[in-house]
Structure formats: structure tokens, C-alpha cells
PDB file of all heavy atoms in Angstrom:
ATOM      1  N   ILE T   1       0.821  -1.211   0.021  1.00  0.00           N
ATOM      2  CA  ILE T   1       0.004  -0.018   0.006  1.00  0.00           C
ATOM      3  C   ILE T   1       0.860   1.257  -0.033  1.00  0.00           C
ATOM      4  O   ILE T   1       0.641   2.178  -0.727  1.00  0.00           O
ATOM      5  CB  ILE T   1      -0.909  -0.015   1.237  1.00  0.00           C
ATOM      6  CG1 ILE T   1      -1.983  -1.082   1.098  1.00  0.00           C
ATOM      7  CG2 ILE T   1      -1.556   1.353   1.400  1.00  0.00           C
ATOM      8  CD1 ILE T   1      -3.046  -0.810   0.018  1.00  0.00           C
ATOM      9  N   ARG T   2       1.880   1.285   0.896  1.00  0.00           N
ATOM     10  CA  ARG T   2       2.774   2.454   0.948  1.00  0.00           C
ATOM     11  C   ARG T   2       3.521   2.671  -0.327  1.00  0.00           C
ATOM     12  O   ARG T   2       3.596   3.836  -0.796  1.00  0.00           O
ATOM     13  CB  ARG T   2       3.769   2.188   2.091  1.00  0.00           C
ATOM     14  CG  ARG T   2       4.628   3.366   2.444  1.00  0.00           C
ATOM     15  CD  ARG T   2       5.595   3.102   3.542  1.00  0.00           C
ATOM     16  NE  ARG T   2       4.907   2.598   4.696  1.00  0.00           N
ATOM     17  CZ  ARG T   2       4.938   1.330   5.102  1.00  0.00           C
ATOM     18  NH1 ARG T   2       5.599   0.405   4.405  1.00  0.00           N
ATOM     19  NH2 ARG T   2       4.218   0.880   6.179  1.00  0.00           N
ATOM     20  N   ALA T   3       4.035   1.661  -1.008  1.00  0.00           N
ATOM     21  CA  ALA T   3       4.825   1.773  -2.154  1.00  0.00           C
ATOM     22  C   ALA T   3       3.923   2.309  -3.339  1.00  0.00           C
ATOM     23  O   ALA T   3       4.416   3.009  -4.179  1.00  0.00           O
ATOM     24  CB  ALA T   3       5.434   0.426  -2.551  1.00  0.00           C
ATOM     25  N   ARG T   4       2.719   1.820  -3.398  1.00  0.00           N
ATOM     26  CA  ARG T   4       1.834   2.132  -4.561  1.00  0.00           C
ATOM     27  C   ARG T   4       0.985   3.405  -4.293  1.00  0.00           C
ATOM     28  O   ARG T   4       0.634   4.081  -5.275  1.00  0.00           O
ATOM     29  CB  ARG T   4       0.975   0.983  -4.872  1.00  0.00           C
ATOM     30  CG  ARG T   4       1.721  -0.214  -5.376  1.00  0.00           C
ATOM     31  CD  ARG T   4       0.913  -1.108  -6.260  1.00  0.00           C
ATOM     32  NE  ARG T   4       1.757  -2.007  -7.060  1.00  0.00           N
ATOM     33  CZ  ARG T   4       1.412  -2.629  -8.157  1.00  0.00           C
ATOM     34  NH1 ARG T   4       0.160  -2.474  -8.639  1.00  0.00           N
ATOM     35  NH2 ARG T   4       2.210  -3.396  -8.863  1.00  0.00           N
ATOM     36  N   TYR T   5       0.597   3.673  -3.031  1.00  0.00           N
ATOM     37  CA  TYR T   5      -0.383   4.682  -2.795  1.00  0.00           C
ATOM     38  C   TYR T   5       0.012   5.724  -1.784  1.00  0.00           C
ATOM     39  O   TYR T   5      -0.722   6.603  -1.426  1.00  0.00           O
ATOM     40  CB  TYR T   5      -1.757   4.084  -2.407  1.00  0.00           C
ATOM     41  CG  TYR T   5      -2.205   3.100  -3.453  1.00  0.00           C
ATOM     42  CD1 TYR T   5      -2.063   1.769  -3.174  1.00  0.00           C
ATOM     43  CD2 TYR T   5      -2.721   3.506  -4.649  1.00  0.00           C
ATOM     44  CE1 TYR T   5      -2.538   0.800  -4.157  1.00  0.00           C
ATOM     45  CE2 TYR T   5      -3.064   2.612  -5.674  1.00  0.00           C
ATOM     46  CZ  TYR T   5      -3.006   1.237  -5.414  1.00  0.00           C
ATOM     47  OH  TYR T   5      -3.420   0.345  -6.351  1.00  0.00           O
ATOM     48  N   GLY T   6       1.285   5.631  -1.302  1.00  0.00           N
ATOM     49  CA  GLY T   6       1.838   6.642  -0.398  1.00  0.00           C
ATOM     50  C   GLY T   6       1.845   6.332   1.038  1.00  0.00           C
ATOM     51  O   GLY T   6       1.051   5.534   1.500  1.00  0.00           O
ATOM     52  N   ALA T   7       2.756   7.008   1.811  1.00  0.00           N
ATOM     53  CA  ALA T   7       2.896   6.809   3.262  1.00  0.00           C
ATOM     54  C   ALA T   7       1.708   7.222   3.999  1.00  0.00           C
ATOM     55  O   ALA T   7       1.373   6.590   5.011  1.00  0.00           O
ATOM     56  CB  ALA T   7       4.190   7.504   3.704  1.00  0.00           C
ATOM     57  N   GLU T   8       1.118   8.321   3.584  1.00  0.00           N
ATOM     58  CA  GLU T   8      -0.052   8.812   4.386  1.00  0.00           C
ATOM     59  C   GLU T   8      -1.274   7.902   4.371  1.00  0.00           C
ATOM     60  O   GLU T   8      -1.872   7.604   5.372  1.00  0.00           O
ATOM     61  CB  GLU T   8      -0.436  10.263   3.883  1.00  0.00           C
ATOM     62  CG  GLU T   8      -1.503  10.914   4.751  1.00  0.00           C
ATOM     63  CD  GLU T   8      -0.998  11.179   6.171  1.00  0.00           C
ATOM     64  OE1 GLU T   8       0.238  11.441   6.358  1.00  0.00           O
ATOM     65  OE2 GLU T   8      -1.868  11.121   7.117  1.00  0.00           O
ATOM     66  N   ALA T   9      -1.521   7.361   3.191  1.00  0.00           N
ATOM     67  CA  ALA T   9      -2.623   6.406   3.022  1.00  0.00           C
ATOM     68  C   ALA T   9      -2.348   5.168   3.813  1.00  0.00           C
ATOM     69  O   ALA T   9      -3.213   4.611   4.514  1.00  0.00           O
ATOM     70  CB  ALA T   9      -2.823   6.060   1.583  1.00  0.00           C
ATOM     71  N   ALA T  10      -1.061   4.663   3.829  1.00  0.00           N
ATOM     72  CA  ALA T  10      -0.740   3.481   4.569  1.00  0.00           C
ATOM     73  C   ALA T  10      -0.818   3.793   6.089  1.00  0.00           C
ATOM     74  O   ALA T  10      -1.259   2.919   6.848  1.00  0.00           O
ATOM     75  CB  ALA T  10       0.685   3.085   4.205  1.00  0.00           C
ATOM     76  N   LEU T  11      -0.465   4.983   6.496  1.00  0.00           N
ATOM     77  CA  LEU T  11      -0.528   5.349   7.895  1.00  0.00           C
ATOM     78  C   LEU T  11      -2.000   5.410   8.357  1.00  0.00           C
ATOM     79  O   LEU T  11      -2.320   4.866   9.417  1.00  0.00           O
ATOM     80  CB  LEU T  11       0.140   6.706   8.166  1.00  0.00           C
ATOM     81  CG  LEU T  11       0.084   7.316   9.537  1.00  0.00           C
ATOM     82  CD1 LEU T  11       0.802   6.345  10.526  1.00  0.00           C
ATOM     83  CD2 LEU T  11       0.705   8.633   9.595  1.00  0.00           C
ATOM     84  N   ARG T  12      -2.926   5.987   7.533  1.00  0.00           N
ATOM     85  CA  ARG T  12      -4.335   5.972   7.902  1.00  0.00           C
ATOM     86  C   ARG T  12      -4.889   4.600   8.001  1.00  0.00           C
ATOM     87  O   ARG T  12      -5.703   4.294   8.880  1.00  0.00           O
ATOM     88  CB  ARG T  12      -5.078   6.879   6.880  1.00  0.00           C
ATOM     89  CG  ARG T  12      -4.782   8.303   6.990  1.00  0.00           C
ATOM     90  CD  ARG T  12      -5.792   9.148   6.213  1.00  0.00           C
ATOM     91  NE  ARG T  12      -5.614   8.957   4.770  1.00  0.00           N
ATOM     92  CZ  ARG T  12      -4.919   9.799   4.006  1.00  0.00           C
ATOM     93  NH1 ARG T  12      -4.321  10.918   4.503  1.00  0.00           N
ATOM     94  NH2 ARG T  12      -4.817   9.567   2.719  1.00  0.00           N
ATOM     95  N   LEU T  13      -4.482   3.730   7.073  1.00  0.00           N
ATOM     96  CA  LEU T  13      -4.981   2.333   7.059  1.00  0.00           C
ATOM     97  C   LEU T  13      -4.432   1.648   8.307  1.00  0.00           C
ATOM     98  O   LEU T  13      -5.270   0.868   8.990  1.00  0.00           O
ATOM     99  CB  LEU T  13      -4.529   1.659   5.847  1.00  0.00           C
ATOM    100  CG  LEU T  13      -4.838   0.098   5.780  1.00  0.00           C
ATOM    101  CD1 LEU T  13      -6.337  -0.134   5.941  1.00  0.00           C
ATOM    102  CD2 LEU T  13      -4.386  -0.510   4.424  1.00  0.00           C
ATOM    103  N   ALA T  14      -3.192   1.819   8.695  1.00  0.00           N
ATOM    104  CA  ALA T  14      -2.652   1.179   9.836  1.00  0.00           C
ATOM    105  C   ALA T  14      -3.348   1.590  11.101  1.00  0.00           C
ATOM    106  O   ALA T  14      -3.573   0.737  11.987  1.00  0.00           O
ATOM    107  CB  ALA T  14      -1.128   1.476   9.920  1.00  0.00           C
ATOM    108  N   ARG T  15      -3.705   2.901  11.181  1.00  0.00           N
ATOM    109  CA  ARG T  15      -4.452   3.318  12.372  1.00  0.00           C
ATOM    110  C   ARG T  15      -5.827   2.729  12.460  1.00  0.00           C
ATOM    111  O   ARG T  15      -6.264   2.378  13.528  1.00  0.00           O
ATOM    112  CB  ARG T  15      -4.561   4.865  12.299  1.00  0.00           C
ATOM    113  CG  ARG T  15      -3.286   5.613  12.588  1.00  0.00           C
ATOM    114  CD  ARG T  15      -3.409   7.109  12.336  1.00  0.00           C
ATOM    115  NE  ARG T  15      -2.242   7.832  12.719  1.00  0.00           N
ATOM    116  CZ  ARG T  15      -1.990   9.098  12.354  1.00  0.00           C
ATOM    117  NH1 ARG T  15      -2.844   9.742  11.503  1.00  0.00           N
ATOM    118  NH2 ARG T  15      -0.936   9.714  12.744  1.00  0.00           N
ATOM    119  N   GLN T  16      -6.402   2.566  11.257  1.00  0.00           N
ATOM    120  CA  GLN T  16      -7.783   1.987  11.299  1.00  0.00           C
ATOM    121  C   GLN T  16      -7.819   0.529  11.742  1.00  0.00           C
ATOM    122  O   GLN T  16      -8.704   0.099  12.432  1.00  0.00           O
ATOM    123  CB  GLN T  16      -8.436   2.181   9.875  1.00  0.00           C
ATOM    124  CG  GLN T  16      -9.879   1.715   9.906  1.00  0.00           C
ATOM    125  CD  GLN T  16     -10.559   1.980   8.561  1.00  0.00           C
ATOM    126  OE1 GLN T  16     -10.435   1.210   7.610  1.00  0.00           O
ATOM    127  NE2 GLN T  16     -11.216   3.138   8.436  1.00  0.00           N
ATOM    128  N   ILE T  17      -6.811  -0.227  11.343  1.00  0.00           N
ATOM    129  CA  ILE T  17      -6.784  -1.651  11.704  1.00  0.00           C
ATOM    130  C   ILE T  17      -5.920  -1.877  12.898  1.00  0.00           C
ATOM    131  O   ILE T  17      -5.690  -3.031  13.264  1.00  0.00           O
ATOM    132  CB  ILE T  17      -6.341  -2.546  10.529  1.00  0.00           C
ATOM    133  CG1 ILE T  17      -4.912  -2.196  10.049  1.00  0.00           C
ATOM    134  CG2 ILE T  17      -7.265  -2.370   9.314  1.00  0.00           C
ATOM    135  CD1 ILE T  17      -4.358  -3.040   8.928  1.00  0.00           C
ATOM    136  N   VAL T  18      -5.462  -0.769  13.557  1.00  0.00           N
ATOM    137  CA  VAL T  18      -4.666  -0.832  14.805  1.00  0.00           C
ATOM    138  C   VAL T  18      -3.452  -1.671  14.608  1.00  0.00           C
ATOM    139  O   VAL T  18      -3.229  -2.716  15.265  1.00  0.00           O
ATOM    140  CB  VAL T  18      -5.584  -1.367  15.968  1.00  0.00           C
ATOM    141  CG1 VAL T  18      -4.839  -1.017  17.336  1.00  0.00           C
ATOM    142  CG2 VAL T  18      -6.913  -0.743  15.966  1.00  0.00           C
ATOM    143  N   LEU T  19      -2.582  -1.231  13.671  1.00  0.00           N
ATOM    144  CA  LEU T  19      -1.354  -1.953  13.401  1.00  0.00           C
ATOM    145  C   LEU T  19      -0.228  -0.890  13.401  1.00  0.00           C
ATOM    146  O   LEU T  19      -0.427   0.249  13.075  1.00  0.00           O
ATOM    147  CB  LEU T  19      -1.479  -2.621  12.026  1.00  0.00           C
ATOM    148  CG  LEU T  19      -0.300  -3.519  11.608  1.00  0.00           C
ATOM    149  CD1 LEU T  19      -0.293  -4.840  12.442  1.00  0.00           C
ATOM    150  CD2 LEU T  19      -0.416  -3.889  10.132  1.00  0.00           C
ATOM    151  N   SER T  20       0.977  -1.345  13.716  1.00  0.00           N
ATOM    152  CA  SER T  20       2.150  -0.498  13.670  1.00  0.00           C
ATOM    153  C   SER T  20       2.246   0.009  12.286  1.00  0.00           C
ATOM    154  O   SER T  20       2.190  -0.702  11.282  1.00  0.00           O
ATOM    155  CB  SER T  20       3.386  -1.297  14.016  1.00  0.00           C
ATOM    156  OG  SER T  20       4.531  -0.541  13.843  1.00  0.00           O
ATOM    157  N   PRO T  21       2.385   1.364  12.093  1.00  0.00           N
ATOM    158  CA  PRO T  21       2.286   1.922  10.791  1.00  0.00           C
ATOM    159  C   PRO T  21       3.445   1.585   9.825  1.00  0.00           C
ATOM    160  O   PRO T  21       3.256   1.607   8.655  1.00  0.00           O
ATOM    161  CB  PRO T  21       2.271   3.446  11.049  1.00  0.00           C
ATOM    162  CG  PRO T  21       2.854   3.626  12.424  1.00  0.00           C
ATOM    163  CD  PRO T  21       2.490   2.350  13.194  1.00  0.00           C
ATOM    164  N   HIS T  22       4.650   1.176  10.362  1.00  0.00           N
ATOM    165  CA  HIS T  22       5.700   0.920   9.454  1.00  0.00           C
ATOM    166  C   HIS T  22       6.768   0.130  10.174  1.00  0.00           C
ATOM    167  O   HIS T  22       7.416   0.616  11.080  1.00  0.00           O
ATOM    168  CB  HIS T  22       6.372   2.222   8.934  1.00  0.00           C
ATOM    169  CG  HIS T  22       7.312   1.929   7.833  1.00  0.00           C
ATOM    170  ND1 HIS T  22       8.278   2.845   7.458  1.00  0.00           N
ATOM    171  CD2 HIS T  22       7.599   0.779   7.061  1.00  0.00           C
ATOM    172  CE1 HIS T  22       8.988   2.342   6.474  1.00  0.00           C
ATOM    173  NE2 HIS T  22       8.636   1.104   6.239  1.00  0.00           N
ATOM    174  N   ARG T  23       6.926  -1.166   9.753  1.00  0.00           N
ATOM    175  CA  ARG T  23       8.094  -1.948  10.168  1.00  0.00           C
ATOM    176  C   ARG T  23       8.857  -2.127   8.911  1.00  0.00           C
ATOM    177  O   ARG T  23       8.419  -2.723   7.935  1.00  0.00           O
ATOM    178  CB  ARG T  23       7.626  -3.225  10.791  1.00  0.00           C
ATOM    179  CG  ARG T  23       6.999  -3.084  12.149  1.00  0.00           C
ATOM    180  CD  ARG T  23       7.164  -4.325  13.048  1.00  0.00           C
ATOM    181  NE  ARG T  23       6.350  -5.427  12.513  1.00  0.00           N
ATOM    182  CZ  ARG T  23       6.518  -6.691  12.948  1.00  0.00           C
ATOM    183  NH1 ARG T  23       7.381  -6.949  13.919  1.00  0.00           N
ATOM    184  NH2 ARG T  23       5.729  -7.670  12.468  1.00  0.00           N
ATOM    185  N   GLN T  24      10.121  -1.684   8.961  1.00  0.00           N
ATOM    186  CA  GLN T  24      11.017  -1.826   7.816  1.00  0.00           C
ATOM    187  C   GLN T  24      11.206  -3.279   7.449  1.00  0.00           C
ATOM    188  O   GLN T  24      11.296  -4.157   8.307  1.00  0.00           O
ATOM    189  CB  GLN T  24      12.362  -1.099   8.127  1.00  0.00           C
ATOM    190  CG  GLN T  24      13.265  -1.033   6.948  1.00  0.00           C
ATOM    191  CD  GLN T  24      12.826   0.052   5.957  1.00  0.00           C
ATOM    192  OE1 GLN T  24      12.015   0.916   6.326  1.00  0.00           O
ATOM    193  NE2 GLN T  24      13.285   0.034   4.728  1.00  0.00           N
ATOM    194  N   GLY T  25      11.300  -3.576   6.155  1.00  0.00           N
ATOM    195  CA  GLY T  25      11.407  -4.913   5.665  1.00  0.00           C
ATOM    196  C   GLY T  25      12.654  -5.655   6.220  1.00  0.00           C
ATOM    197  O   GLY T  25      12.595  -6.859   6.490  1.00  0.00           O
ATOM    198  N   GLY T  26      13.768  -4.982   6.406  1.00  0.00           N
ATOM    199  CA  GLY T  26      15.018  -5.574   6.828  1.00  0.00           C
ATOM    200  C   GLY T  26      14.998  -5.784   8.381  1.00  0.00           C
ATOM    201  O   GLY T  26      15.955  -6.317   8.907  1.00  0.00           O
ATOM    202  N   GLN T  27      13.943  -5.386   9.037  1.00  0.00           N
ATOM    203  CA  GLN T  27      13.882  -5.575  10.484  1.00  0.00           C
ATOM    204  C   GLN T  27      13.834  -7.045  10.826  1.00  0.00           C
ATOM    205  O   GLN T  27      13.223  -7.866  10.082  1.00  0.00           O
ATOM    206  CB  GLN T  27      12.636  -4.848  10.967  1.00  0.00           C
ATOM    207  CG  GLN T  27      12.506  -4.719  12.485  1.00  0.00           C
ATOM    208  CD  GLN T  27      11.406  -3.707  12.838  1.00  0.00           C
ATOM    209  OE1 GLN T  27      11.365  -2.680  12.325  1.00  0.00           O
ATOM    210  NE2 GLN T  27      10.532  -4.161  13.767  1.00  0.00           N
ATOM    211  N   ALA T  28      14.344  -7.408  11.969  1.00  0.00           N
ATOM    212  CA  ALA T  28      14.371  -8.847  12.386  1.00  0.00           C
ATOM    213  C   ALA T  28      12.989  -9.379  12.669  1.00  0.00           C
ATOM    214  O   ALA T  28      12.084  -8.670  13.106  1.00  0.00           O
ATOM    215  CB  ALA T  28      15.250  -9.016  13.667  1.00  0.00           C
ATOM    216  N   GLN T  29      12.768 -10.684  12.366  1.00  0.00           N
ATOM    217  CA  GLN T  29      11.565 -11.322  12.646  1.00  0.00           C
ATOM    218  C   GLN T  29      11.325 -11.444  14.164  1.00  0.00           C
ATOM    219  O   GLN T  29      10.133 -11.410  14.644  1.00  0.00           O
ATOM    220  CB  GLN T  29      11.462 -12.738  12.050  1.00  0.00           C
ATOM    221  CG  GLN T  29      11.421 -12.712  10.491  1.00  0.00           C
ATOM    222  CD  GLN T  29      11.143 -14.044   9.969  1.00  0.00           C
ATOM    223  OE1 GLN T  29      10.402 -14.856  10.496  1.00  0.00           O
ATOM    224  NE2 GLN T  29      11.763 -14.407   8.806  1.00  0.00           N
ATOM    225  N   PHE T  30      12.340 -11.600  14.967  1.00  0.00           N
ATOM    226  CA  PHE T  30      12.184 -11.764  16.366  1.00  0.00           C
ATOM    227  C   PHE T  30      12.127 -10.393  17.017  1.00  0.00           C
ATOM    228  O   PHE T  30      13.127  -9.715  17.039  1.00  0.00           O
ATOM    229  CB  PHE T  30      13.349 -12.544  16.976  1.00  0.00           C
ATOM    230  CG  PHE T  30      13.466 -13.911  16.408  1.00  0.00           C
ATOM    231  CD1 PHE T  30      14.398 -14.201  15.352  1.00  0.00           C
ATOM    232  CD2 PHE T  30      12.719 -15.042  16.834  1.00  0.00           C
ATOM    233  CE1 PHE T  30      14.501 -15.424  14.791  1.00  0.00           C
ATOM    234  CE2 PHE T  30      12.805 -16.259  16.258  1.00  0.00           C
ATOM    235  CZ  PHE T  30      13.759 -16.445  15.287  1.00  0.00           C
ATOM    236  N   ILE T  31      11.021 -10.013  17.596  1.00  0.00           N
ATOM    237  CA  ILE T  31      10.891  -8.758  18.223  1.00  0.00           C
ATOM    238  C   ILE T  31      10.307  -8.949  19.641  1.00  0.00           C
ATOM    239  O   ILE T  31       9.238  -9.374  19.838  1.00  0.00           O
ATOM    240  CB  ILE T  31       9.947  -7.818  17.440  1.00  0.00           C
ATOM    241  CG1 ILE T  31      10.550  -7.575  16.078  1.00  0.00           C
ATOM    242  CG2 ILE T  31       9.717  -6.548  18.186  1.00  0.00           C
ATOM    243  CD1 ILE T  31       9.691  -6.743  15.158  1.00  0.00           C
ATOM    244  N   GLU T  32      11.168  -8.670  20.674  1.00  0.00           N
ATOM    245  CA  GLU T  32      10.840  -8.885  21.992  1.00  0.00           C
ATOM    246  C   GLU T  32      10.327  -7.555  22.644  1.00  0.00           C
ATOM    247  O   GLU T  32      11.026  -6.520  22.540  1.00  0.00           O
ATOM    248  CB  GLU T  32      12.045  -9.424  22.825  1.00  0.00           C
ATOM    249  CG  GLU T  32      11.767  -9.662  24.293  1.00  0.00           C
ATOM    250  CD  GLU T  32      13.052 -10.158  24.939  1.00  0.00           C
ATOM    251  OE1 GLU T  32      13.854 -10.823  24.309  1.00  0.00           O
ATOM    252  OE2 GLU T  32      13.213  -9.830  26.124  1.00  0.00           O
TER     253      GLU T  32
END
């Protein structure tokens, strides 16, 4: 969504579904 329709649209969607707005792809799978 972010890549095709922009960061602001992705941020609004993340807020609506109560999800972290941006986790970078290279971030580790294990998050404590």
C-alpha cells in the first residue's frame, strides 16, 4: 500500500486496523 499509494494512506490504514504503521522490511523477525 505504501509503495503504490503513499505513506499517508498506509498510515491511515494502519491506524484504522490498529497496526504498527511501518516496520522496515529488513527488520528482524524476532521482536521482544
Side-chain angles (χ1 to χ4, degrees):
I1 290 291
R2 185 180 307 106
R4 294 205 162 198
Y5 305 105
E8 187 61 34
L11 178 61
R12 288 193 290 264
L13 175 56
R15 284 173 177 164
Q16 187 175 84
I17 63 179
V18 195
L19 187 69
S20 174
H22 187 197
R23 289 206 292 169
Q24 190 72 18
Q27 190 167 311
Q29 292 190 35
F30 300 97
I31 298 178
E32 180 180 327

